[in-house]
Amino acid sequence: MKMQKAAITQALYDTCAFAVVRVPTIERGLEIARGLLSGGVKAMEISYTLPNAGDVVAAIKEEFGGEMIVGAGTVMDPATARMAIMAGAQFIVANCYSEGVSEICNLYQIPYAPGCTTMTEANHALATGAAFVKCFPISNVYGPSLVGLFKTPTPWMPLMASGGINLDNLHEWIEKGVDCAGMGGLLTKGSEEEIAANAAAVRKIIDETRAAAK
């Protein structure tokens, strides 16, 4: 049964972490997925900066089905958004906001997380249906403190951070209230076993930090 927008959004919040993946081959994408699942990270974003992204998305969905939530990243135009969704992408992430991409995602009931750097951009994105506001590229600049900049005046704003997150500062992001965190090298480099070990460390930090905040 196909998960709808609200269910996928909730699943992304629950897992909190996802891998930002750029791979030259389908085989490497599957290897990363296996490592992530072994470590307890159940979401990954396949970047559309490479021409094989759609094939990687489709292969992961075929291999792992409902075990892995697979999204598409760097989706900057409506045509790419639709191709990604047709390939099986369950969420769409971008480095900037696009009204056309937002419309496509709403049409197919797919969560959309556009990159925003100002409160005006972020509020406009939410008003037109975004499921998350991606703090990009400012997560690299401000670090965890940026969560409060957005959430103090608008505590209901669902924030996704991608960039500058590691095992040393992940707990700070979670404590500040980030809703979803994307990580590149930490969750995509090395062997399947190394990826699994890093994913397990990420999972432990998230679960323990959230539990302590209750």
Side-chain angles (χ1 to χ4, degrees):
M1 183 176 180
K2 185 177 181 180
M3 296 174 71
Q4 294 301 307
K5 183 177 180 180
I8 301 170
T9 301
Q10 183 62 49
L12 286 170
Y13 173 80
D14 290 341
T15 193
C16 188
F18 65 95
V20 180
V21 180
R22 298 174 180 85
V23 287
T25 66
I26 290 173
E27 291 73 22
R28 178 57 178 167
L30 294 173
E31 183 180 25
I32 291 171
R34 284 192 294 269
L36 293 171
L37 287 171
S38 294
V41 172
K42 300 179 180 180
M44 57 197 302
E45 167 202 318
I46 309 302
S47 174
Y48 268 66
T49 53
L50 293 179
N52 66 344
D55 295 332
V56 175
V57 169
I60 291 169
K61 291 309 299 176
E62 181 178 358
E63 181 76 17
F64 300 105
E67 292 183 77
M68 177 65 75
I69 305 168
V70 183
T74 322
V75 177
M76 300 176 65
D77 61 89
T80 302
R82 189 177 186 281
M83 287 191 293
I85 293 167
M86 293 300 100
Q90 295 169 285
F91 64 99
I92 298 293
V93 181
N95 52 349
C96 60
Y97 173 78
S98 163
E99 185 174 351
V101 173
S102 182
E103 289 174 352
I104 289 290
C105 290
N106 281 330
L107 177 65
Y108 289 99
Q109 288 296 285
I110 297 293
Y112 176 43
C116 300
T117 60
T118 68
M119 188 63 74
T120 298
E121 289 177 316
N123 276 292
H124 179 65
L126 290 182
T128 55
F132 293 94
V133 169
K134 180 184 176 184
C135 302
F136 182 85
I138 55 177
S139 62
N140 271 315
V141 177
Y142 291 97
S145 64
L146 76 80
V147 178
L149 297 177
F150 283 97
K151 287 217 172 193
T152 297
T154 50
W156 58 85
M157 183 175 289
L159 293 181
M160 174 184 286
S162 186
I165 303 172
N166 54 52
L167 293 177
D168 294 326
N169 65 19
L170 177 58
H171 72 280
E172 295 181 61
W173 285 98
I174 305 303
E175 288 167 355
K176 295 288 187 182
V178 77
D179 298 288
C180 203
M183 285 161 270
L186 179 64
L187 294 177
T188 62
K189 302 298 184 184
S191 66
E192 182 179 324
E193 292 73 22
E194 289 171 322
I195 292 169
N198 285 334
V202 166
R203 180 82 271 137
K204 185 173 186 289
I205 292 169
I206 291 170
D207 292 344
E208 289 183 350
T209 307
R210 282 183 165 179
K214 291 182 179 179

